[in-house]
Amino acid sequence: MDKYIMSFDAGTTSERAIIFNKNSEIVSVAQKEISQIYPNPGWVEHSPMEIWSAQIGVAVEAMAKAGITADEIEAIGITNQRETTIVWDRNTGLPIYNAIVWQCRRTTEFCDKLEQMKPVIEDDSDLYESKDGTQTMSQWIKRKTGLIIDPYFSATKLKWILDNVECAREKAEKGELLFGTVETWLIWKLTKGKKHVTDYSNASRTMLFNINTLSWDEDICKLFDIPMCMLPTPVSNSEIYGESSPEYLGGSIKICGAAGDQQAALFGQKCFHKGDMKNTYGTGCFLLMNTGDKPTFSKNGLVTTVGWGREGKLTYALEGSVFMGGAIIQWLRDELHMINNAVETEEIAKKVNDTNGCYIVPAFTGLGAPYWKPEAKGIICGLTRGVSRDHIVRAALDAIVYQVNDIVTAMEQDAGCKVSNLKVDGGASNNNYLCRTQADISDTVVIRPSCVETTALGAAYLAGLAVGFWKDEEEIESTSKGFTEFKPSMEQDIRHSRIEGWKKAVDML
Ligand code: ADP
């Protein structure tokens, strides 16, 4: 009997289930969009119950489509939107509030205050520069968690729920509430409450997890007044966590791997070696570089994160994030009604030779690395009567490219070398105009694998390795299929002047 691995890809816009065979080929896919809830300007929420029911629904659908039963699935791997924060009652299994999504900026004010505070407890780790007892809160948090203070990460979202939902902190202190990011929630639901775990990569995005010791940081939990009993147990990215309860998928299946979507994509892109780099063009954009078995701390506004832990070995990564990636295309479609679908943006952008001087800086939810301007709002500039819809659509795609390029440049500075190539994936990487422009503006070869579902593939690899479905990373590398290469061809002076124009636009924020 042929065996398969099933990935759950719990993304920001949809839940997906993808079944892979041993050759890393997709056998079946099912997908369902989830509701985006915007209760206030800058606030973004999801329904945790919708996430769960949509995820199980697509899993059943993917299995049915391919005629695959539970006993043919060797393992489930989970990958998910990271940082998104869920708190639920361990007895009823019901969330006490909607999931606060990574994009949500409701804790901006608190983060600003936090930055002005001084850490009460100093430590003398020599991992970070400041050792003279005068470190700022940002440095203190960064050396422990690898992250910068920003509403994006889970800690302040969790604190917000505990501060704002009636009796929440009291219940949490009594051990009645559990916290989890989306993978934790799904594993808890799948195992019917038997397993409350988080993998290292997801844990490292909470701003509560010490990436040097691989444990929850007591000092930081105290700072945020978060009862540690509500936190899940941190586990590696590739091991048997538990089994799905048999009623959901027509039999129990081992759950053996989990990773945050970007780390999963880094693994799925086979960036197994130090210096390997990838960018995912999804709702947001995420550039990650494998930095080997020690954390590297950035001088250019990038964050340090756990890539994965497997067989007792850790791989760290440097990461830069763009909040509005493909989401700007959704905005053109849903709010401006300028396009009918995302795919047609490629043809529209190609109808014109440039943007006619128009730039869009899509700081809708603040601007991420390397600027970190949480309060910035988006702008469209350079408008003249000659700017048409086609120019604006092209400027929207270019905005994605420029933001990614800013991060490539920051990584080059941190790594002290020029990037030789950039592996790409995610929904918007299907856009050839986007990939070609990225190659031009970043002056590097852009490589797009034929299977752009690398996030799901990474989760499948992590789960498959845990049960011996694939022996090791070498065997995975040998399953590599085709890819498309985009080589840079733009003249340097045009490239420089376009980047210059972008920088001027960012300065207007
Ligand atoms: P996520 O995992 O964050 O939900 P996906 O990887 O599914 O995101 O990518 C979806 C995003 O990519 C959407 O924001 C969509 O607007 C954009 N997108 C999808 N296809 C294209 C395309 N051909 N050109 C440009 N943008 C696209």
Side-chain angles (χ1 to χ4, degrees):
M1 178 168 62
D2 286 337
K3 292 276 190 168
Y4 304 91
I5 303 284
M6 177 155 63
S7 278
F8 287 2
D9 182 356
T12 308
T13 50
S14 70
E15 305 299 309
R16 262 186 297 223
I18 305 185
I19 301 175
F20 292 96
N21 66 18
K22 207 163 172 350
N23 293 326
S24 310
E25 290 157 347
I26 295 175
V27 178
S28 178
V29 188
Q31 175 166 4
K32 189 167 192 293
E33 286 214 7
I34 55 168
S35 319
Q36 307 294 317
I37 305 161
Y38 306 111
N40 278 311
W43 292 30
V44 191
E45 297 178 359
H46 289 157
S47 155
M49 290 313 265
E50 187 185 353
I51 291 175
W52 161 243
S53 61
Q55 190 59 67
I56 276 299
V58 291
V60 170
E61 193 185 329
M63 290 167 73
K65 268 185 184 171
I68 289 172
T69 51
D71 55 337
E72 292 170 272
I73 297 182
E74 197 104 323
I76 292 173
I78 301 179
T79 180
N80 56 290
Q81 50 162 324
R82 306 168 303 170
E83 297 101 13
T84 296
T85 300
I86 306 174
V87 177
W88 66 96
D89 186 309
R90 76 174 337 138
N91 300 312
T92 63
L94 294 174
I96 63 159
Y97 192 79
N98 271 338
I100 302 186
V101 177
W102 58 275
Q103 295 158 314
C104 185
R105 311 302 295 172
R106 77 183 64 193
T107 58
T108 302
E109 212 177 295
F110 175 72
C111 286
D112 289 345
K113 268 198 218 138
L114 192 60
E115 262 180 297
Q116 305 311 318
M117 287 159 64
K118 280 266 173 213
V120 181
I121 307 148
E122 294 272 340
D123 47 39
D124 58 5
S125 152
D126 57 3
L127 281 165
Y128 204 70
E129 280 166 7
S130 168
K131 288 175 66 184
D132 57 3
T134 59
Q135 61 184 327
T136 61
M137 184 63 90
S138 304
Q139 288 169 327
W140 186 74
I141 287 188
K142 187 169 181 176
R143 65 195 289 183
K144 285 169 175 287
T145 66
L147 306 175
I148 61 140
I149 296 173
D150 193 85
Y152 177 33
F153 305 110
S154 318
T156 62
K157 300 183 195 293
L158 173 53
K159 178 176 157 45
W160 189 95
I161 293 177
L162 294 177
D163 288 344
N164 289 279
V165 176
E166 218 184 318
C167 303
R169 186 165 275 108
E170 194 184 311
K171 279 192 187 162
E173 274 160 6
K174 280 199 245 156
E176 290 171 18
L177 300 184
L178 299 177
F179 154 77
T181 39
V182 172
E183 89 297 351
T184 302
W185 168 242
L186 290 175
I187 295 169
W188 193 84
K189 293 297 280 179
L190 275 169
T191 60
K192 284 200 133 179
K194 287 206 182 92
K195 296 287 165 181
H196 184 228
V197 295
T198 182
D199 68 85
Y200 295 150
S201 70
N202 272 298
S204 75
R205 310 296 298 183
T206 58
M207 213 165 82
L208 297 169
F209 188 69
N210 190 315
I211 60 167
N212 308 293
T213 60
L214 297 181
S215 56
W216 299 113
D217 194 283
E218 247 176 83
D219 299 336
I220 296 185
C221 289
K222 256 189 222 141
L223 174 73
F224 291 119
D225 198 9
I226 289 169
M228 292 182 79
C229 58
M230 71 186 306
L231 304 178
T233 306
V235 290
S236 85
N237 296 81
S238 180
E239 64 179 89
I240 301 170
Y241 307 136
E243 289 193 349
S244 66
S245 195
E247 69 263 43
Y248 298 130
L249 301 166
S252 50
I253 305 176
K254 291 192 194 85
I255 310 159
C256 306
D261 49 12
Q262 303 318 316
Q263 287 94 335
L266 191 67
F267 203 83
Q269 284 276 25
K270 307 178 186 78
C271 293
F272 300 143
H273 308 290
K274 194 173 166 176
D276 289 349
M277 210 184 266
K278 72 91 204 171
N279 181 44
T280 299
Y281 299 90
T283 307
C285 289
F286 300 89
L287 194 86
L288 269 80
M289 177 164 74
N290 178 333
T291 59
D293 59 2
K294 302 229 162 33
T296 302
F297 292 93
S298 168
K299 293 190 168 57
N300 292 293
L302 305 172
V303 300
T304 307
T305 194
V306 176
W308 51 84
R310 198 174 84 71
E311 294 187 324
K313 273 178 57 190
L314 258 286
T315 298
Y316 289 89
L318 265 179
E319 171 171 337
S321 326
V322 170
F323 298 142
M324 286 291 284
I328 189 175
I329 304 302
Q330 283 169 309
W331 177 71
L332 292 184
R333 184 193 64 186
D334 301 341
E335 267 73 38
L336 297 192
H337 305 286
M338 213 176 242
I339 53 169
N340 294 314
N341 56 62
V343 176
E344 70 179 14
T345 58
E346 178 173 341
E347 287 316 310
I348 296 172
K350 286 200 289 205
K351 280 200 222 162
V352 285
N353 292 327
D354 54 31
T355 65
N356 205 356
C358 171
Y359 284 89
I360 302 180
V361 186
F364 292 64
T365 53
L367 206 56
Y371 307 102
W372 294 108
K373 293 187 178 181
E375 275 158 30
K377 300 274 189 298
I379 54 167
I380 303 181
C381 62
L383 293 179
T384 53
R385 281 299 296 268
V387 173
S388 67
R389 174 202 69 153
D390 301 353
H391 293 120
I392 290 182
V393 169
R394 187 169 165 132
L397 289 170
D398 286 2
I400 303 174
V401 167
Y402 289 123
Q403 293 180 96
V404 169
N405 184 56
D406 284 336
I407 295 170
V408 170
T409 308
M411 287 214 171
E412 284 178 339
Q413 282 166 5
D414 276 330
C417 62
K418 176 104 184 71
V419 171
S420 58
N421 64 56
L422 179 63
K423 292 179 174 169
V424 301
D425 53 50
S429 74
N430 288 308
N431 189 311
N432 294 318
Y433 169 80
L434 184 77
C435 293
R436 194 163 300 119
T437 310
Q438 192 71 64
D440 282 343
I441 294 295
S442 297
D443 198 21
T444 193
V445 179
V446 167
I447 301 170
R448 182 180 64 199
S450 53
C451 172
V452 290
E453 293 290 358
T454 52
T455 307
L457 194 54
Y461 286 153
L462 287 163
L465 284 167
V467 291
F469 187 78
W470 289 289
K471 192 161 90 332
D472 52 23
E473 290 163 359
E474 261 172 38
E475 186 183 348
I476 286 174
E477 274 175 328
S478 73
T479 68
S480 272
K481 291 277 151 35
F483 54 84
T484 310
E485 263 190 12
F486 300 86
K487 295 202 172 107
S489 63
M490 187 179 270
E491 284 170 31
Q492 289 297 337
D493 52 343
I494 298 180
R495 175 175 169 255
H496 288 307
S497 82
R498 295 216 173 144
I499 295 173
E500 207 46 46
W502 163 254
K503 293 216 165 112
K504 279 192 192 139
V506 170
D507 285 344
M508 288 178 198
L509 292 181

